[in-house]
Amino acid sequence: MTDFSRKNNLKIAIVGNPNSGKSTVFNALTGMNQKVANFPGVTVEKRTGFFTLENNSGQKTSVEIIDLPGCYSLYPKSIDEQIPFQVLCDPDDDSHPDAVIVIADASNLKRSLFLCSQIIDLKIPTVLALNMIDLAERKGLVIDTKKLSEKLGITIIPMNARNKQGIPGLKQALTGSLPHPDAYFTDVKKYSPGITEEIKNVIHVKSDYAAFQVVNNFEWIASLHLKTDKTEKLRKIISDKNFKAKEAQAKETLERYEVITSLIKEVVREEGTMKGTHIRSKKIDNVLTHRIFGYIIFLVVLFLIFQAIFAWASYPMDLVDSFFAWSKQKVVGAMPAGMLSDLLVNGIIAGLNGVVIFVPQIALLFAFIAVLEDTGYMARVSFMMDKLLRGFGLNGKSVIPLISGVACAVPAIMSARTIQNRKERLITIMVTPLMSCSARLPVYTLLISLIIPSGFFYGVNVQGLVLFGMYLIGFVAAIGAAWLMKFIIRVKEKSFFIMELPLYRLPRFSNIGMQIIEKVKVFLFDAGKVIMAISIVLWGLSSNAPGNKFEEIEKKYEPASQNYDIPAEEIARQMKSEKLESSYAGILGQWIEPAIKPLGFDWKIGIALITSFAAREVFVGTMSTIYSAGDEGTHSMTVREKMQSEINPDTLKPRYDFATGFSLMLFYAFAMQCMSTLAVVKRETHSWKWPLIQFAYMGALAYVASLIAYQLLK
Amino acid sequence: MTLDKLPPGSEAIIESFTDDDIKLKLLEMGCLPGEKISVVRYAPLGDPIAVSVSGYLLSMRRDEAACVEVTQI
């Protein structure tokens, strides 16, 4: 029995099987009061929330609650699963809680009670929330909660987290005393004779079961918490006693299930058909995973999602652009012209604009993906795609990152976390940026309008076809690269695809809302920081020139500005263009020209390539400036005309002929020109090694492809 | 026989496992020796397979299913 009524602060962990409604309970307890970080050393999300408990005498306790990743058992089998194990079995862990809330799916008690019994045996104060109790009732299950509570020896709260039913009861239970059984569910000493006591001398755990868990799985925590002398002692104990960990673990699991099964027989009665919801799911599956229709339906769903995103996102995106244009005007009006004003307007505000503009698309995409996941459909998609993708070193679950990459690689790469196998996850992360993201779209649109004639070919819009072709090229490159990496990357880890296919259900919109907010926040603050930084650096490079260059140019334009026959805007644009050419950015462009000439590019394109390193779509704006076409943003009509009339001094023919244009499109299709993507890859892979490799291989691919294309087509 | 050889729609009893890691993973998910397991369907390309056991639906690759010894009923 533990009494929490006197504590001021409480640390609680919440655990449960996947699909047991754990996140719904977490959200119900914490509301918006949550934050997301990472557990140290692994890319597993650490979601922490806060709420306050008030007991009968009015005393308040502040509670920090940690959402541990869903698991079926404490025994870890992958890096992600090691978190619940580590946090609960190691009393010295930073996140080790004072109490645990176990969330059980009331209609699938056997599995949930397996996990619950493991936690009870760790001797940590435990409360069991019997969630989705309404579903169990509908299935005709009658659970004697009082008897179950007696048999388990802990407090049980029946719950329907969607309706917040049971949440007050849960809070109430946490303010009082929590009963705990003295006995263990299984006798681990049988499977590890003489070992548990010795383990307890090395690691200071209270319970025999915790000691048993540690000796079976200490390699999982060795790298993080134990000092080497302790791991040596543990290894010695194991070899001395000739202890076979996996065997012991299997036997103990079997015994535990026997205990749970007979316990359930005494407290659960089935009255009525269990089969109803299963039959419904099965019928839906017959259609959705049909060998032909399954794939067709999936493609249709994809198509609809992308249509929706492009259609619905354009209005908020226009709003964003208007807002930032207005901000620029305000700043210009409020400040004297000069370096600071220019930095604010063209560096910072422009940078912010470039980041925020993507929020509508990202939010919408995540909303759709979250809905598909929540309903259970995504699991079916992975199921259908797994065999195809495995041939390319990917996993059925790689579908989500690949699809998301067509909107933006940054959140796409984050969603690769659901892939447990390290090699498959790594390959997915490495190739996702080859999927043509939305930043490439303005580039493609401009270049296609330059080099592809408008019109129809047997009823199909030619320009549209070429655009589709570019997306296809991106996809082919992605799976091609994946296939190559399959042979090159060596990671020793067993791959499991064993996955539960949950029953279909309606999406929970409050959960989805939370997820969207979370993902957008990560994008804004992680990717955003990087884009901003690079934007400012590039602004610096393009607004500064060596020596007095800029003053000289301004002097040159003096007489013209006195002539009122020439519109002031025209003069301003010409001057701006010349300034750009003589700036550091311009110098860099001219410096790399020899390297990019074989690709059909000149130094003007070189400048655009350099500025595109902040973000790809900067290409259009840069082209506008270079060709002094004015600040048209994405309306590139005037830019196009100017580019069309540009003559290549070497050949005396148009600069933007088919060869150069196509070569440039290929370059943008393959090159890694997104600092935020590199930043996210670094975060997800925990080192600079992989983003650098990614930058190198994509750059090489872009260079070679452009080279071949230009040389063949010119 | 092994689980991967069972045709869709058939039922079997789980006997044993031939791989320790798969064994542990499946045990924890309720696939215990003596439990009834039925093959619901194959994926459109034949792999993975979906099985119903202990009240819920699991999907696993054929090479994983090949580690499960079953007796058809």
Side-chain angles (χ1 to χ4, degrees), chain A residues 73 77 110-111 246 257 278 285-286 383 386 494-495 497 499 501, chain B residues 19 21 27-30 35 41 48 54-57 59 61 64:
Chain A
S73 151
K77 260 159 253 65
K110 194 155 65 163
R111 258 183 322 171
K246 284 186 186 163
Y257 258 115
H278 287 264
D285 269 337
N286 286 342
F383 180 68
D386 187 58
K494 222 154 172 183
S495 175
F497 187 74
M499 165 180 87
L501 293 169
Chain B
D19 175 286
D21 291 314
L27 277 184
E28 285 165 5
M29 295 184 80
E35 282 278 336
R41 72 183 76 248
S54 206
Y56 55 102
L57 206 53
S59 88
R61 291 174 175 162
E64 290 160 349

PDB file of all heavy atoms in Angstrom, chain A residues 73 77 110-111 246 257 278 285-286 383 386 494-495 497 499 501, chain B residues 19 21 27-30 35 41 48 54-57 59 61 64:
ATOM      1  N   SER A  73       4.776  -6.244 -23.827  1.00  0.00           N
ATOM      2  CA  SER A  73       5.475  -6.880 -22.722  1.00  0.00           C
ATOM      3  C   SER A  73       6.656  -6.009 -22.349  1.00  0.00           C
ATOM      4  O   SER A  73       7.114  -5.195 -23.143  1.00  0.00           O
ATOM      5  CB  SER A  73       5.961  -8.263 -23.167  1.00  0.00           C
ATOM      6  OG  SER A  73       7.122  -8.628 -22.483  1.00  0.00           O
ATOM      7  N   LYS A  77      12.574  -5.895 -27.390  1.00  0.00           N
ATOM      8  CA  LYS A  77      13.131  -6.595 -28.541  1.00  0.00           C
ATOM      9  C   LYS A  77      13.666  -5.621 -29.565  1.00  0.00           C
ATOM     10  O   LYS A  77      14.130  -5.994 -30.613  1.00  0.00           O
ATOM     11  CB  LYS A  77      12.053  -7.482 -29.189  1.00  0.00           C
ATOM     12  CG  LYS A  77      12.181  -8.947 -28.793  1.00  0.00           C
ATOM     13  CD  LYS A  77      10.887  -9.652 -28.998  1.00  0.00           C
ATOM     14  CE  LYS A  77      10.210  -9.959 -27.673  1.00  0.00           C
ATOM     15  NZ  LYS A  77       9.788  -8.791 -26.911  1.00  0.00           N
ATOM     16  N   LYS A 110      -6.638 -10.486 -21.912  1.00  0.00           N
ATOM     17  CA  LYS A 110      -5.523 -11.404 -21.666  1.00  0.00           C
ATOM     18  C   LYS A 110      -4.178 -10.724 -21.890  1.00  0.00           C
ATOM     19  O   LYS A 110      -3.290 -10.764 -21.050  1.00  0.00           O
ATOM     20  CB  LYS A 110      -5.675 -12.635 -22.550  1.00  0.00           C
ATOM     21  CG  LYS A 110      -4.759 -13.771 -22.114  1.00  0.00           C
ATOM     22  CD  LYS A 110      -5.256 -15.135 -22.520  1.00  0.00           C
ATOM     23  CE  LYS A 110      -5.288 -15.299 -24.028  1.00  0.00           C
ATOM     24  NZ  LYS A 110      -5.384 -16.719 -24.405  1.00  0.00           N
ATOM     25  N   ARG A 111      -4.040 -10.062 -23.034  1.00  0.00           N
ATOM     26  CA  ARG A 111      -2.771  -9.418 -23.328  1.00  0.00           C
ATOM     27  C   ARG A 111      -2.481  -8.269 -22.385  1.00  0.00           C
ATOM     28  O   ARG A 111      -1.354  -8.099 -21.911  1.00  0.00           O
ATOM     29  CB  ARG A 111      -2.796  -8.846 -24.744  1.00  0.00           C
ATOM     30  CG  ARG A 111      -2.078  -9.638 -25.762  1.00  0.00           C
ATOM     31  CD  ARG A 111      -2.145  -8.903 -27.048  1.00  0.00           C
ATOM     32  NE  ARG A 111      -3.444  -8.262 -27.232  1.00  0.00           N
ATOM     33  CZ  ARG A 111      -3.693  -7.409 -28.197  1.00  0.00           C
ATOM     34  NH1 ARG A 111      -2.742  -7.083 -29.034  1.00  0.00           N
ATOM     35  NH2 ARG A 111      -4.875  -6.873 -28.324  1.00  0.00           N
ATOM     36  N   LYS A 246      17.080 -16.606 -22.835  1.00  0.00           N
ATOM     37  CA  LYS A 246      15.874 -16.706 -23.676  1.00  0.00           C
ATOM     38  C   LYS A 246      14.974 -17.854 -23.246  1.00  0.00           C
ATOM     39  O   LYS A 246      13.750 -17.743 -23.256  1.00  0.00           O
ATOM     40  CB  LYS A 246      16.270 -16.870 -25.140  1.00  0.00           C
ATOM     41  CG  LYS A 246      16.750 -15.565 -25.754  1.00  0.00           C
ATOM     42  CD  LYS A 246      17.009 -15.670 -27.229  1.00  0.00           C
ATOM     43  CE  LYS A 246      17.614 -14.356 -27.719  1.00  0.00           C
ATOM     44  NZ  LYS A 246      18.251 -14.498 -29.016  1.00  0.00           N
ATOM     45  N   TYR A 257       1.227 -16.459 -18.534  1.00  0.00           N
ATOM     46  CA  TYR A 257      -0.024 -16.514 -19.300  1.00  0.00           C
ATOM     47  C   TYR A 257      -0.997 -17.510 -18.706  1.00  0.00           C
ATOM     48  O   TYR A 257      -2.209 -17.309 -18.722  1.00  0.00           O
ATOM     49  CB  TYR A 257       0.263 -16.853 -20.768  1.00  0.00           C
ATOM     50  CG  TYR A 257       0.199 -15.647 -21.665  1.00  0.00           C
ATOM     51  CD1 TYR A 257       1.315 -15.177 -22.337  1.00  0.00           C
ATOM     52  CD2 TYR A 257      -1.003 -14.944 -21.819  1.00  0.00           C
ATOM     53  CE1 TYR A 257       1.253 -14.059 -23.138  1.00  0.00           C
ATOM     54  CE2 TYR A 257      -1.070 -13.824 -22.609  1.00  0.00           C
ATOM     55  CZ  TYR A 257       0.064 -13.388 -23.271  1.00  0.00           C
ATOM     56  OH  TYR A 257       0.000 -12.270 -24.069  1.00  0.00           O
ATOM     57  N   HIS A 278     -15.658  -8.041 -35.238  1.00  0.00           N
ATOM     58  CA  HIS A 278     -14.639  -8.713 -36.031  1.00  0.00           C
ATOM     59  C   HIS A 278     -15.138  -8.985 -37.443  1.00  0.00           C
ATOM     60  O   HIS A 278     -14.419  -8.835 -38.414  1.00  0.00           O
ATOM     61  CB  HIS A 278     -14.250 -10.040 -35.375  1.00  0.00           C
ATOM     62  CG  HIS A 278     -13.433  -9.856 -34.141  1.00  0.00           C
ATOM     63  ND1 HIS A 278     -12.072  -9.916 -34.139  1.00  0.00           N
ATOM     64  CD2 HIS A 278     -13.802  -9.568 -32.883  1.00  0.00           C
ATOM     65  CE1 HIS A 278     -11.629  -9.707 -32.908  1.00  0.00           C
ATOM     66  NE2 HIS A 278     -12.668  -9.490 -32.127  1.00  0.00           N
ATOM     67  N   ASP A 285     -12.127  -5.442 -44.821  1.00  0.00           N
ATOM     68  CA  ASP A 285     -10.829  -5.887 -45.336  1.00  0.00           C
ATOM     69  C   ASP A 285     -10.954  -6.609 -46.664  1.00  0.00           C
ATOM     70  O   ASP A 285     -10.083  -6.513 -47.519  1.00  0.00           O
ATOM     71  CB  ASP A 285     -10.145  -6.823 -44.329  1.00  0.00           C
ATOM     72  CG  ASP A 285      -9.267  -6.062 -43.365  1.00  0.00           C
ATOM     73  OD1 ASP A 285      -8.855  -4.948 -43.723  1.00  0.00           O
ATOM     74  OD2 ASP A 285      -8.994  -6.576 -42.278  1.00  0.00           O
ATOM     75  N   ASN A 286     -12.060  -7.366 -46.814  1.00  0.00           N
ATOM     76  CA  ASN A 286     -12.235  -8.075 -48.082  1.00  0.00           C
ATOM     77  C   ASN A 286     -12.194  -7.108 -49.252  1.00  0.00           C
ATOM     78  O   ASN A 286     -11.701  -7.427 -50.325  1.00  0.00           O
ATOM     79  CB  ASN A 286     -13.560  -8.836 -48.104  1.00  0.00           C
ATOM     80  CG  ASN A 286     -13.503 -10.083 -47.228  1.00  0.00           C
ATOM     81  OD1 ASN A 286     -12.432 -10.553 -46.885  1.00  0.00           O
ATOM     82  ND2 ASN A 286     -14.660 -10.598 -46.867  1.00  0.00           N
ATOM     83  N   PHE A 383       0.462  -3.624 -44.956  1.00  0.00           N
ATOM     84  CA  PHE A 383       0.246  -5.051 -45.216  1.00  0.00           C
ATOM     85  C   PHE A 383       0.314  -5.331 -46.713  1.00  0.00           C
ATOM     86  O   PHE A 383       0.949  -6.279 -47.161  1.00  0.00           O
ATOM     87  CB  PHE A 383      -1.127  -5.423 -44.635  1.00  0.00           C
ATOM     88  CG  PHE A 383      -1.534  -6.861 -44.796  1.00  0.00           C
ATOM     89  CD1 PHE A 383      -0.860  -7.857 -44.118  1.00  0.00           C
ATOM     90  CD2 PHE A 383      -2.624  -7.209 -45.590  1.00  0.00           C
ATOM     91  CE1 PHE A 383      -1.253  -9.190 -44.245  1.00  0.00           C
ATOM     92  CE2 PHE A 383      -3.022  -8.526 -45.714  1.00  0.00           C
ATOM     93  CZ  PHE A 383      -2.335  -9.523 -45.037  1.00  0.00           C
ATOM     94  N   ASP A 386       4.097  -4.347 -48.251  1.00  0.00           N
ATOM     95  CA  ASP A 386       5.333  -4.842 -47.668  1.00  0.00           C
ATOM     96  C   ASP A 386       6.188  -5.646 -48.646  1.00  0.00           C
ATOM     97  O   ASP A 386       7.384  -5.429 -48.765  1.00  0.00           O
ATOM     98  CB  ASP A 386       5.030  -5.689 -46.421  1.00  0.00           C
ATOM     99  CG  ASP A 386       6.301  -6.084 -45.693  1.00  0.00           C
ATOM    100  OD1 ASP A 386       7.052  -5.177 -45.307  1.00  0.00           O
ATOM    101  OD2 ASP A 386       6.545  -7.283 -45.529  1.00  0.00           O
ATOM    102  N   LYS A 494      17.781  -7.891 -36.451  1.00  0.00           N
ATOM    103  CA  LYS A 494      16.727  -8.728 -36.998  1.00  0.00           C
ATOM    104  C   LYS A 494      15.515  -7.861 -37.306  1.00  0.00           C
ATOM    105  O   LYS A 494      15.180  -6.949 -36.581  1.00  0.00           O
ATOM    106  CB  LYS A 494      16.343  -9.786 -35.972  1.00  0.00           C
ATOM    107  CG  LYS A 494      16.134 -11.112 -36.612  1.00  0.00           C
ATOM    108  CD  LYS A 494      16.369 -12.253 -35.665  1.00  0.00           C
ATOM    109  CE  LYS A 494      15.940 -13.546 -36.365  1.00  0.00           C
ATOM    110  NZ  LYS A 494      16.064 -14.693 -35.508  1.00  0.00           N
ATOM    111  N   SER A 495      14.856  -8.210 -38.392  1.00  0.00           N
ATOM    112  CA  SER A 495      13.703  -7.433 -38.809  1.00  0.00           C
ATOM    113  C   SER A 495      12.437  -8.172 -38.459  1.00  0.00           C
ATOM    114  O   SER A 495      12.309  -9.353 -38.744  1.00  0.00           O
ATOM    115  CB  SER A 495      13.791  -7.240 -40.323  1.00  0.00           C
ATOM    116  OG  SER A 495      12.661  -6.595 -40.799  1.00  0.00           O
ATOM    117  N   PHE A 497       8.250  -8.069 -38.890  1.00  0.00           N
ATOM    118  CA  PHE A 497       7.121  -7.348 -39.442  1.00  0.00           C
ATOM    119  C   PHE A 497       5.865  -7.622 -38.623  1.00  0.00           C
ATOM    120  O   PHE A 497       4.821  -7.048 -38.874  1.00  0.00           O
ATOM    121  CB  PHE A 497       6.891  -7.710 -40.909  1.00  0.00           C
ATOM    122  CG  PHE A 497       5.829  -6.862 -41.543  1.00  0.00           C
ATOM    123  CD1 PHE A 497       6.086  -5.547 -41.878  1.00  0.00           C
ATOM    124  CD2 PHE A 497       4.551  -7.356 -41.751  1.00  0.00           C
ATOM    125  CE1 PHE A 497       5.113  -4.748 -42.429  1.00  0.00           C
ATOM    126  CE2 PHE A 497       3.565  -6.565 -42.306  1.00  0.00           C
ATOM    127  CZ  PHE A 497       3.845  -5.262 -42.660  1.00  0.00           C
ATOM    128  N   MET A 499       2.850  -7.490 -36.742  1.00  0.00           N
ATOM    129  CA  MET A 499       2.142  -6.241 -36.482  1.00  0.00           C
ATOM    130  C   MET A 499       0.679  -6.562 -36.269  1.00  0.00           C
ATOM    131  O   MET A 499       0.130  -7.433 -36.929  1.00  0.00           O
ATOM    132  CB  MET A 499       2.357  -5.366 -37.728  1.00  0.00           C
ATOM    133  CG  MET A 499       1.469  -4.180 -37.861  1.00  0.00           C
ATOM    134  SD  MET A 499       1.818  -3.257 -39.363  1.00  0.00           S
ATOM    135  CE  MET A 499       0.791  -4.112 -40.543  1.00  0.00           C
ATOM    136  N   LEU A 501      -3.181  -5.899 -36.742  1.00  0.00           N
ATOM    137  CA  LEU A 501      -4.111  -5.186 -37.609  1.00  0.00           C
ATOM    138  C   LEU A 501      -5.322  -4.845 -36.760  1.00  0.00           C
ATOM    139  O   LEU A 501      -6.161  -5.698 -36.488  1.00  0.00           O
ATOM    140  CB  LEU A 501      -4.538  -6.082 -38.787  1.00  0.00           C
ATOM    141  CG  LEU A 501      -3.444  -6.422 -39.797  1.00  0.00           C
ATOM    142  CD1 LEU A 501      -3.896  -7.517 -40.743  1.00  0.00           C
ATOM    143  CD2 LEU A 501      -3.068  -5.185 -40.601  1.00  0.00           C
TER     144      LEU A 501
ATOM    145  N   ASP B  19      12.195 -20.627 -33.793  1.00  0.00           N
ATOM    146  CA  ASP B  19      13.139 -19.510 -33.664  1.00  0.00           C
ATOM    147  C   ASP B  19      12.878 -18.817 -32.337  1.00  0.00           C
ATOM    148  O   ASP B  19      11.749 -18.458 -32.037  1.00  0.00           O
ATOM    149  CB  ASP B  19      12.942 -18.533 -34.836  1.00  0.00           C
ATOM    150  CG  ASP B  19      13.809 -17.297 -34.704  1.00  0.00           C
ATOM    151  OD1 ASP B  19      13.489 -16.422 -33.862  1.00  0.00           O
ATOM    152  OD2 ASP B  19      14.801 -17.185 -35.430  1.00  0.00           O
ATOM    153  N   ASP B  21      13.710 -15.805 -31.081  1.00  0.00           N
ATOM    154  CA  ASP B  21      13.259 -14.418 -31.038  1.00  0.00           C
ATOM    155  C   ASP B  21      11.808 -14.306 -31.465  1.00  0.00           C
ATOM    156  O   ASP B  21      11.012 -13.615 -30.836  1.00  0.00           O
ATOM    157  CB  ASP B  21      14.125 -13.548 -31.961  1.00  0.00           C
ATOM    158  CG  ASP B  21      15.530 -13.406 -31.412  1.00  0.00           C
ATOM    159  OD1 ASP B  21      15.654 -13.149 -30.200  1.00  0.00           O
ATOM    160  OD2 ASP B  21      16.480 -13.560 -32.189  1.00  0.00           O
ATOM    161  N   LEU B  27       4.786 -15.156 -28.349  1.00  0.00           N
ATOM    162  CA  LEU B  27       4.242 -15.552 -27.050  1.00  0.00           C
ATOM    163  C   LEU B  27       3.619 -14.361 -26.369  1.00  0.00           C
ATOM    164  O   LEU B  27       2.520 -14.401 -25.828  1.00  0.00           O
ATOM    165  CB  LEU B  27       5.349 -16.109 -26.146  1.00  0.00           C
ATOM    166  CG  LEU B  27       5.757 -17.565 -26.303  1.00  0.00           C
ATOM    167  CD1 LEU B  27       6.788 -17.899 -25.242  1.00  0.00           C
ATOM    168  CD2 LEU B  27       4.555 -18.480 -26.169  1.00  0.00           C
ATOM    169  N   GLU B  28       4.374 -13.267 -26.373  1.00  0.00           N
ATOM    170  CA  GLU B  28       3.894 -12.085 -25.673  1.00  0.00           C
ATOM    171  C   GLU B  28       2.621 -11.541 -26.277  1.00  0.00           C
ATOM    172  O   GLU B  28       1.857 -10.874 -25.607  1.00  0.00           O
ATOM    173  CB  GLU B  28       4.935 -10.994 -25.728  1.00  0.00           C
ATOM    174  CG  GLU B  28       6.078 -11.261 -24.810  1.00  0.00           C
ATOM    175  CD  GLU B  28       7.235 -10.388 -25.149  1.00  0.00           C
ATOM    176  OE1 GLU B  28       7.077  -9.529 -26.042  1.00  0.00           O
ATOM    177  OE2 GLU B  28       8.282 -10.560 -24.533  1.00  0.00           O
ATOM    178  N   MET B  29       2.419 -11.808 -27.569  1.00  0.00           N
ATOM    179  CA  MET B  29       1.203 -11.298 -28.186  1.00  0.00           C
ATOM    180  C   MET B  29       0.072 -12.300 -28.063  1.00  0.00           C
ATOM    181  O   MET B  29      -0.933 -12.198 -28.745  1.00  0.00           O
ATOM    182  CB  MET B  29       1.488 -10.940 -29.642  1.00  0.00           C
ATOM    183  CG  MET B  29       2.477  -9.796 -29.708  1.00  0.00           C
ATOM    184  SD  MET B  29       2.798  -9.203 -31.341  1.00  0.00           S
ATOM    185  CE  MET B  29       1.391  -8.187 -31.616  1.00  0.00           C
ATOM    186  N   GLY B  30       0.259 -13.285 -27.249  1.00  0.00           N
ATOM    187  CA  GLY B  30      -0.835 -14.196 -26.952  1.00  0.00           C
ATOM    188  C   GLY B  30      -0.878 -15.428 -27.833  1.00  0.00           C
ATOM    189  O   GLY B  30      -1.849 -16.177 -27.806  1.00  0.00           O
ATOM    190  N   GLU B  35      -3.102 -22.736 -28.399  1.00  0.00           N
ATOM    191  CA  GLU B  35      -4.102 -21.776 -28.869  1.00  0.00           C
ATOM    192  C   GLU B  35      -4.514 -22.083 -30.299  1.00  0.00           C
ATOM    193  O   GLU B  35      -3.709 -22.543 -31.094  1.00  0.00           O
ATOM    194  CB  GLU B  35      -3.535 -20.359 -28.858  1.00  0.00           C
ATOM    195  CG  GLU B  35      -3.459 -19.680 -27.519  1.00  0.00           C
ATOM    196  CD  GLU B  35      -4.786 -19.066 -27.102  1.00  0.00           C
ATOM    197  OE1 GLU B  35      -5.622 -18.766 -27.968  1.00  0.00           O
ATOM    198  OE2 GLU B  35      -4.969 -18.910 -25.889  1.00  0.00           O
ATOM    199  N   ARG B  41      -6.283 -14.346 -44.375  1.00  0.00           N
ATOM    200  CA  ARG B  41      -6.036 -14.067 -45.799  1.00  0.00           C
ATOM    201  C   ARG B  41      -4.548 -13.929 -46.030  1.00  0.00           C
ATOM    202  O   ARG B  41      -3.773 -13.769 -45.084  1.00  0.00           O
ATOM    203  CB  ARG B  41      -6.748 -12.780 -46.215  1.00  0.00           C
ATOM    204  CG  ARG B  41      -6.097 -11.520 -45.650  1.00  0.00           C
ATOM    205  CD  ARG B  41      -6.855 -10.249 -46.012  1.00  0.00           C
ATOM    206  NE  ARG B  41      -8.053 -10.082 -45.221  1.00  0.00           N
ATOM    207  CZ  ARG B  41      -9.279 -10.157 -45.716  1.00  0.00           C
ATOM    208  NH1 ARG B  41      -9.468 -10.384 -46.997  1.00  0.00           N
ATOM    209  NH2 ARG B  41     -10.331  -9.993 -44.930  1.00  0.00           N
ATOM    210  N   PRO B  48       2.741 -10.245 -46.725  1.00  0.00           N
ATOM    211  CA  PRO B  48       2.594 -11.107 -45.542  1.00  0.00           C
ATOM    212  C   PRO B  48       1.223 -11.790 -45.463  1.00  0.00           C
ATOM    213  O   PRO B  48       0.409 -11.653 -46.361  1.00  0.00           O
ATOM    214  CB  PRO B  48       2.763 -10.103 -44.398  1.00  0.00           C
ATOM    215  CG  PRO B  48       2.735  -8.747 -44.965  1.00  0.00           C
ATOM    216  CD  PRO B  48       2.657  -8.835 -46.429  1.00  0.00           C
ATOM    217  N   SER B  54      -6.234 -15.628 -30.575  1.00  0.00           N
ATOM    218  CA  SER B  54      -6.462 -15.051 -29.256  1.00  0.00           C
ATOM    219  C   SER B  54      -7.321 -13.788 -29.307  1.00  0.00           C
ATOM    220  O   SER B  54      -7.140 -12.900 -28.505  1.00  0.00           O
ATOM    221  CB  SER B  54      -5.104 -14.743 -28.627  1.00  0.00           C
ATOM    222  OG  SER B  54      -5.180 -14.763 -27.239  1.00  0.00           O
ATOM    223  N   GLY B  55      -8.206 -13.720 -30.237  1.00  0.00           N
ATOM    224  CA  GLY B  55      -9.143 -12.598 -30.281  1.00  0.00           C
ATOM    225  C   GLY B  55      -8.724 -11.413 -31.117  1.00  0.00           C
ATOM    226  O   GLY B  55      -9.417 -10.411 -31.145  1.00  0.00           O
ATOM    227  N   TYR B  56      -7.596 -11.467 -31.791  1.00  0.00           N
ATOM    228  CA  TYR B  56      -7.272 -10.334 -32.646  1.00  0.00           C
ATOM    229  C   TYR B  56      -6.513 -10.748 -33.886  1.00  0.00           C
ATOM    230  O   TYR B  56      -6.160 -11.897 -34.046  1.00  0.00           O
ATOM    231  CB  TYR B  56      -6.517  -9.268 -31.865  1.00  0.00           C
ATOM    232  CG  TYR B  56      -5.288  -9.766 -31.181  1.00  0.00           C
ATOM    233  CD1 TYR B  56      -4.040  -9.539 -31.701  1.00  0.00           C
ATOM    234  CD2 TYR B  56      -5.380 -10.464 -29.984  1.00  0.00           C
ATOM    235  CE1 TYR B  56      -2.908  -9.997 -31.078  1.00  0.00           C
ATOM    236  CE2 TYR B  56      -4.259 -10.940 -29.353  1.00  0.00           C
ATOM    237  CZ  TYR B  56      -3.032 -10.695 -29.904  1.00  0.00           C
ATOM    238  OH  TYR B  56      -1.920 -11.154 -29.277  1.00  0.00           O
ATOM    239  N   LEU B  57      -6.256  -9.752 -34.744  1.00  0.00           N
ATOM    240  CA  LEU B  57      -5.702  -9.985 -36.071  1.00  0.00           C
ATOM    241  C   LEU B  57      -4.228  -9.579 -36.105  1.00  0.00           C
ATOM    242  O   LEU B  57      -3.864  -8.454 -35.773  1.00  0.00           O
ATOM    243  CB  LEU B  57      -6.496  -9.121 -37.062  1.00  0.00           C
ATOM    244  CG  LEU B  57      -6.593  -9.534 -38.514  1.00  0.00           C
ATOM    245  CD1 LEU B  57      -7.089 -10.959 -38.637  1.00  0.00           C
ATOM    246  CD2 LEU B  57      -7.546  -8.591 -39.226  1.00  0.00           C
ATOM    247  N   SER B  59      -0.560  -9.547 -38.458  1.00  0.00           N
ATOM    248  CA  SER B  59       0.031  -9.815 -39.764  1.00  0.00           C
ATOM    249  C   SER B  59       1.503 -10.150 -39.558  1.00  0.00           C
ATOM    250  O   SER B  59       2.165  -9.580 -38.696  1.00  0.00           O
ATOM    251  CB  SER B  59      -0.133  -8.612 -40.695  1.00  0.00           C
ATOM    252  OG  SER B  59       0.918  -7.714 -40.549  1.00  0.00           O
ATOM    253  N   ARG B  61       5.205 -11.811 -41.786  1.00  0.00           N
ATOM    254  CA  ARG B  61       5.791 -12.251 -43.036  1.00  0.00           C
ATOM    255  C   ARG B  61       5.854 -13.767 -43.084  1.00  0.00           C
ATOM    256  O   ARG B  61       5.878 -14.441 -42.058  1.00  0.00           O
ATOM    257  CB  ARG B  61       7.199 -11.678 -43.191  1.00  0.00           C
ATOM    258  CG  ARG B  61       7.185 -10.177 -43.411  1.00  0.00           C
ATOM    259  CD  ARG B  61       8.574  -9.595 -43.419  1.00  0.00           C
ATOM    260  NE  ARG B  61       8.541  -8.174 -43.759  1.00  0.00           N
ATOM    261  CZ  ARG B  61       9.522  -7.332 -43.521  1.00  0.00           C
ATOM    262  NH1 ARG B  61      10.622  -7.753 -42.920  1.00  0.00           N
ATOM    263  NH2 ARG B  61       9.421  -6.060 -43.856  1.00  0.00           N
ATOM    264  N   GLU B  64       8.529 -15.405 -41.161  1.00  0.00           N
ATOM    265  CA  GLU B  64       8.265 -15.441 -39.724  1.00  0.00           C
ATOM    266  C   GLU B  64       7.270 -16.564 -39.411  1.00  0.00           C
ATOM    267  O   GLU B  64       7.438 -17.305 -38.449  1.00  0.00           O
ATOM    268  CB  GLU B  64       7.701 -14.094 -39.253  1.00  0.00           C
ATOM    269  CG  GLU B  64       8.745 -12.994 -39.286  1.00  0.00           C
ATOM    270  CD  GLU B  64       8.155 -11.593 -39.311  1.00  0.00           C
ATOM    271  OE1 GLU B  64       6.943 -11.439 -39.514  1.00  0.00           O
ATOM    272  OE2 GLU B  64       8.932 -10.630 -39.155  1.00  0.00           O
TER     273      GLU B  64
END
